[in-house]
Amino acid sequence: MILQQRNMATLKEIQLRLRSVQNIGKITKSMKMIAQTKMTKAQRLMEVARIYGETSNEFFTHAETTASEVKAPLAIAISSDRGLCGSIHSSVTKAIKAYLKTAPETSIIVLGLKCKAQLNRDNKELIALHFESVAKNQPNWTEAANVADSILKLGKEFDGVSIFYNKFKSVIAFETTRLPVYTVGTIEASR
């Protein structure tokens, strides 16, 4: 007769654990496939939309547009509502905080809950407006127009606007970017 020692798994328990690990592996594999599909779709949509942004940047470069002195600046932070990659959200927050050191009277508008939560800690009084669930599916003109309309309805005059966002480089790399938005007067004064 074979006596089982204490804390030793039986053959049946080992087989159950192996089957469990294999099932978890199958679930993980299917989750990776779903994530890859979503990522491919998002990249495809981003590449189509990127053309419009690059075109406007080329216009300002060709017109030799330069910002004038800014007395009432506005910073717009763009992040997401959810996600587990903290560096994506915190890099935008760090860029905004660095900008606030040079222009402490800046008003902030936040798109996305993650960046709002981070900026609320130190700069709650500067947040003029925030949005959530913007561009949850595919970004479109209507949502962008609604955001712009809400900003205009604030009743404040801003003479300089900076948009802070993460520019996609690859699946594992991004670059936090500050994009200046010029006023009508600045554009008219340029070449």
Side-chain angles (χ1 to χ4, degrees):
M1 175 181 244
I2 300 174
L3 294 175
Q4 183 179 354
Q5 291 184 359
R6 223 182 234 175
N7 297 330
M8 295 292 288
T10 63
L11 184 59
K12 187 164 187 141
E13 288 173 336
I14 292 172
Q15 288 174 336
L16 286 173
R17 284 187 195 167
L18 279 173
R19 208 171 303 137
S20 172
V21 169
Q22 289 170 344
N23 288 339
I24 291 171
K26 290 177 187 177
I27 292 169
T28 304
K29 185 178 177 184
S30 64
M31 288 173 69
K32 283 181 183 178
M33 288 177 17
I34 291 168
Q36 180 63 38
T37 304
K38 287 182 178 181
M39 183 69 173
T40 304
K41 180 183 175 186
Q43 280 181 302
R44 192 172 47 248
L45 293 172
M46 178 198 56
E47 290 301 324
V48 170
R50 186 177 274 180
I51 294 167
Y52 298 107
E54 289 173 353
T55 304
S56 67
N57 289 344
E58 284 296 318
F59 168 77
F60 292 127
T61 303
H62 183 70
E64 296 177 1
T65 307
T66 56
S68 56
E69 184 181 336
V70 179
K71 294 180 180 91
L74 172 67
I76 301 175
I78 300 177
S79 78
S80 67
D81 293 329
R82 58 192 180 126
L84 297 175
C85 189
S87 65
I88 288 176
H89 311 295
S90 63
S91 65
V92 172
T93 303
K94 286 178 186 174
I96 294 271
K97 287 180 179 180
Y99 182 73
L100 288 174
K101 288 180 183 175
T102 61
E105 67 284 348
T106 302
S107 295
I108 303 171
I109 294 176
V110 184
L111 280 71
L113 291 174
K114 291 289 191 170
C115 203
K116 178 186 177 258
Q118 293 175 353
L119 287 169
N120 254 349
R121 293 183 201 130
D122 300 327
N123 306 294
K124 189 173 189 169
E125 68 283 350
L126 296 177
I127 297 177
L129 195 60
H130 76 277
F131 299 91
E132 55 188 76
S133 300
V134 175
K136 195 168 190 167
N137 296 317
Q138 181 178 355
N140 57 46
W141 175 256
T142 306
E143 283 185 333
N146 287 338
V147 169
D149 192 44
S150 297
I151 293 171
L152 291 173
K153 285 181 181 176
L154 280 175
K156 295 182 181 180
E157 285 290 322
F158 301 106
D159 56 4
V161 179
S162 296
I163 300 174
F164 293 86
Y165 68 99
N166 286 317
K167 186 174 184 178
F168 178 84
K169 287 189 152 195
S170 71
V171 177
I172 58 171
F174 60 88
E175 178 183 346
T176 304
T177 306
R178 176 181 171 253
L179 177 69
V181 178
Y182 302 106
T183 62
V184 174
T186 304
I187 295 170
E188 288 173 349
S190 63
R191 195 173 128 191

